[in-house]
Amino acid sequence: MDSIGVLMPVPMSPYLEQELEKRFNLLKLWTVPQKTQFLKDHSGSIRAVVGNAGNGADAELIETLPKLEIVASFSVGIDKVDLNKCREKGIRVTNTPDVLTDDVADLAIGLALAVLRRICESDRYLRSGQWKKGDYKLTTKFTGKTVGIIGLGRIGKAVAKRAEAFSCPIAYYSRTAKPEPKYKYYPSVVELASNCDVLVVACPLTEETRHIVNREVIDALGPKGVLINIGRGPHVDEAELVSALVEGRLGGAGLDVYEKEPEVPEQLFGLENVVLLPHVGSGTVETRNVMADLVVENLEAHFLKKPLLTPVV
């Protein structure tokens, strides 16, 4: 299979690159200055694209690669892959579900604790020498808070399980009610936000879920509520989120994703009730290596004409 061209648009994981180079002809698009010409020169040999949450395969790239057979995403989210174009051309698509569920759910709880207990701000307080001048102010308890979850899929359920360990009542919104008698279902996000203390965004990004957290939802969550986004940046109307935080209409936020990554609204930088992370939900060595293995195994399965492990299309 070492003659099969596999295109990687951006750097993702040294381990993934290493494993791909052992098996395929890996073409690293970010290393060449004339990208358009490079794609034209190699269009006859590129049969696979390896994408991620930020860079997938849009219609333009797919049209540029007439021999493309499969897009293997080094992520769960595939909103950067034009699925309709892939279906039209018979191109297979895979992602890496399940293997990153624990890390992302862990981070959601970590963000909730960090915002409510002001962990990052307390750290800065100590490092700047202010503790010598007086104790840090009192913060807010997490245990027992009602946690609302938008999207009760793999990650949503994992967040719920962890929150239950903190004696948190669980409520959720999804397109339909789930067979989860322990959890309270709300048929709208506004109703969910009105009835929880911490709102966690954990649904896939689709046209229907874009800006699912808007001004109405933020106002329903209110000045004591906390928003945690470990889904995708465009789930939240970022301009409305910023104004709500600046104006005190929202109690706090823990964000791992943003609308226009890696751009982050600078108005958030000075707010002590906001914790900002650079999209590191699945960012552990252990999980990224397992994700890489799954990408490689899907590619091998495709080119050996075996069933795909995690097919999307």
Side-chain angles (χ1 to χ4, degrees):
M1 290 189 285
D2 55 5
S3 64
I4 295 172
V6 174
L7 179 71
M8 184 180 280
V10 295
M12 299 173 197
S13 152
Y15 174 73
L16 175 58
E17 290 177 32
Q18 168 192 303
E19 293 303 304
L20 288 171
E21 286 175 328
K22 287 179 183 176
R23 299 163 174 83
F24 304 101
N25 176 25
L26 181 62
L27 304 170
K28 304 176 184 179
L29 187 59
W30 73 92
T31 65
V32 297
Q34 302 296 328
K35 293 178 174 53
T36 302
Q37 187 60 46
F38 181 84
L39 290 173
K40 184 182 292 187
D41 292 343
H42 292 86
S43 62
S45 66
I46 295 173
R47 296 169 61 189
V49 169
V50 173
N52 64 7
N55 291 268
D58 58 16
E60 183 181 0
L61 179 62
I62 292 168
E63 291 291 355
T64 304
L65 304 174
K67 302 294 185 182
L68 184 62
E69 299 174 26
I70 183 171
V71 178
S73 191
F74 183 59
S75 65
V76 171
I78 48 168
D79 46 282
K80 297 298 184 182
V81 178
D82 191 322
L83 297 180
N84 289 331
K85 181 64 71 174
C86 288
R87 290 188 185 99
E88 176 190 318
K89 292 186 168 289
I91 296 167
R92 303 304 306 273
V93 179
T94 65
N95 64 346
T96 58
D98 294 323
V99 296
L100 50 67
T101 297
D102 286 337
D103 278 349
V104 177
D106 288 351
L107 198 72
I109 299 300
L111 281 168
L113 285 164
V115 173
L116 288 167
R117 297 304 309 272
R118 298 288 194 268
I119 292 174
C120 300
E121 185 67 17
S122 298
D123 177 83
R124 288 191 289 270
Y125 187 86
L126 182 150
R127 290 171 188 264
S128 64
Q130 294 183 72
W131 191 20
K132 295 174 182 176
K133 302 173 186 176
D135 290 342
Y136 187 69
K137 66 185 179 184
L138 298 180
T139 59
T140 303
K141 187 176 184 176
F142 176 57
T143 294
K145 292 289 186 289
T146 298
V147 173
I149 301 171
I150 302 176
L152 204 65
R154 297 181 185 93
I155 292 173
K157 286 179 180 176
V159 172
K161 180 180 178 181
R162 286 157 173 74
E164 283 184 285
F166 289 85
S167 303
C168 295
I170 306 298
Y172 72 97
Y173 163 80
S174 62
R175 285 175 295 180
T176 56
K178 307 288 185 183
E180 294 287 348
K182 294 185 296 181
Y183 304 157
K184 171 72 173 174
Y185 172 70
Y186 287 98
S188 78
V189 179
V190 173
E191 288 179 75
L192 175 64
S194 298
N195 289 280
C196 70
D197 304 300
V198 178
L199 183 63
V200 180
V201 185
C203 57
L205 180 62
T206 65
E207 281 307 311
E208 291 73 31
T209 62
R210 189 174 296 272
H211 284 191
I212 195 169
V213 177
N214 54 22
R215 186 185 182 100
E216 187 180 9
V217 172
I218 291 168
D219 286 344
L221 190 54
K224 292 186 178 180
V226 170
L227 177 70
I228 304 297
N229 191 4
I230 42 85
R232 286 287 180 269
H235 281 134
V236 178
D237 186 328
E238 204 164 78
E240 290 292 350
L241 174 64
V242 170
S243 66
L245 287 163
V246 170
E247 294 165 15
R249 290 184 288 110
L250 181 65
L255 309 173
D256 186 43
V257 289
Y258 310 88
E259 278 210 78
K260 297 176 181 176
E261 296 177 5
E263 300 300 322
V264 179
E266 291 188 7
Q267 301 99 306
L268 299 177
F269 292 174
L271 300 178
E272 67 175 48
N273 58 337
V274 178
V275 176
L276 306 170
L277 301 179
H279 201 152
V280 293
S282 64
T284 65
V285 172
E286 297 89 342
T287 290
R288 289 289 171 88
N289 286 354
V290 174
M291 289 168 62
D293 288 338
L294 189 50
V295 168
V296 173
E297 288 163 9
N298 272 309
L299 290 174
E300 287 182 320
H302 172 75
F303 290 116
L304 293 172
K305 302 192 183 309
K306 295 180 178 179
L308 298 177
L309 282 75
T310 53
V312 177
V313 173

